[in-house]
Amino acid sequence: MTAVTTTPPPRLPVRDKAEARERAWGGVSPMLTRLAAERATGVLVRERGTLHLAEGRVVHAESPAAPGLGTLLTAHGTLDADTWRQAADEAAEPPGAGLLLVGRGRLTRGALELCHLETLYDAAYFALAPSSTPGRFRYTSPGRSGAVRAVPVAALEHETLRRRDLLHRIWPDPATDEAPLLRADTVALPALTARQRAVLHLVDGVRTAPEIARAMGRPAFHTLVDVRRLAAAGVLVRGALKPAEAARIETTDPDITLLKRLRDALESL
C-alpha cells in the first residue's frame, strides 16, 4: 500500500471575541451615516474606492479591487465587448451605459439591475474597508443621471459587515486577500468545487485575488470566499507583497511595522 502524505493546513489564527463583536455590530463609516441622514448628493472618495450618493442613498460604487459593471456583463456572453465599449463611450459612467443599452433593446432591465447591484455591493465592500486616511465628500447637484437603483446606506453597511464576518469565520487571516497567491506544497488536494478549481487554475504566484476575479469575470468578494476556503484547507498561501501594497499595510498596521523593524534590526547584526 502506498502512503499518501499531505502538507498540514496552516495554523488557524486565534479569533478575538471582542473584535468579532465589534466587527459584527459596529459602524462602518460615520461620514457615510451622516451623509445619509442629511440626504446628501455627491461623491464620497475613500482610500480604496468611491461611493456615489443621490439624496442620501448609494447609487454607484467603484473600487480598483472590484471588477466593474462592463466586466460582469461581457464576461459570460450577456453582451459583447464592442457593444459595451460603444455605450460606455457615450455615457459618463457605467450605470448610464447600461441604461442606454436597455433603451436600445440590447440588454434587459432585470439583467442590468442584477449586475449593477452585484458590482455596487462588491465595490462598496472594498471602498468601506478600514482606512488610514479620512474620506472626502464632494457635493454635486441633484438629478444625477444614469442611476439604475439606489441602495440605502444602512443596507449597504449591514451587508458590508456581514461579508467581513463571513470571511473571518471561513479563515480569520486576511493575508491572502490582496497579495499574489501561490499554491502550497500539497501532495494530495482535498475535494474542491468547480469554482475553487477555476480559481486555483489561475494561481501563478503573480495574480492577486481581485486580479483572478477580473480574469474570471466574477465579483471580487465571491473570489475572496473561495480563496479563504482554499487557504484554510492549506491549498493556497500568500506570496510576496507588491511594493505598493506592502507600503500600505505597513502604514496601517502598527504591529506589522514593529515586526518589520525588528526583523531589519536582526538582519543588520
Side-chain angles (χ1 to χ4, degrees), residues 122-193:
D122 199 38
Y125 171 80
F126 295 97
L128 293 174
S131 171
S132 62
T133 59
R136 306 184 312 277
F137 187 73
R138 183 179 74 254
Y139 288 90
T140 60
S141 59
R144 167 191 163 85
S145 62
V148 177
R149 174 170 290 192
V151 175
V153 164
L156 190 67
E157 291 196 328
H158 181 273
E159 177 61 15
T160 298
L161 291 169
R162 185 194 71 81
R163 293 184 179 205
R164 287 184 193 174
D165 194 58
L166 173 61
L167 289 179
H168 193 83
R169 284 187 282 111
I170 293 171
W171 182 247
D173 184 356
T176 55
D177 285 0
E178 295 177 77
L181 297 172
L182 294 168
R183 293 192 185 207
D185 185 16
T186 304
V187 176
L189 289 176
L192 302 177
T193 66

Side-chain angles (χ1 to χ4, degrees), residues 216-258:
M216 296 176 65
R218 293 179 51 219
F221 178 77
H222 293 180
T223 303
L224 288 185
V225 169
D226 289 327
V227 165
R228 291 262 189 136
R229 285 177 174 151
L230 290 168
V235 176
L236 288 183
V237 294
R238 187 191 77 181
L241 286 169
K242 297 178 179 178
E245 181 61 21
R248 186 182 71 80
I249 291 178
E250 181 175 343
T251 57
T252 58
D253 193 325
D255 292 334
I256 291 178
T257 302
L258 177 59

Side-chain angles (χ1 to χ4, degrees), residues 39-155:
R39 298 177 61 84
T41 295
V43 181
L44 176 59
V45 180
R46 289 174 57 88
E47 184 179 20
R48 303 193 58 208
T50 303
L51 301 177
H52 299 254
L53 280 72
E55 297 184 351
R57 293 185 167 218
V58 180
V59 293
H60 181 50
E62 299 168 323
S63 171
L69 180 61
T71 300
L72 264 61
L73 286 172
T74 60
H76 304 291
T78 304
L79 284 174
D80 65 85
D82 288 339
T83 299
W84 174 257
R85 277 194 296 269
Q86 291 172 7
D89 288 342
E90 295 180 48
E93 292 169 348
L99 290 171
L100 279 177
L101 293 170
V102 170
R104 295 168 181 172
R106 304 299 300 272
L107 182 66
T108 66
R109 179 79 188 199
L112 174 61
E113 290 192 2
L114 181 64
C115 287
H116 169 258
L117 289 175
E118 191 72 74
T119 56
L120 190 155
Y121 280 108
D122 199 38
Y125 171 80
F126 295 97
L128 293 174
S131 171
S132 62
T133 59
R136 306 184 312 277
F137 187 73
R138 183 179 74 254
Y139 288 90
T140 60
S141 59
R144 167 191 163 85
S145 62
V148 177
R149 174 170 290 192
V151 175
V153 164

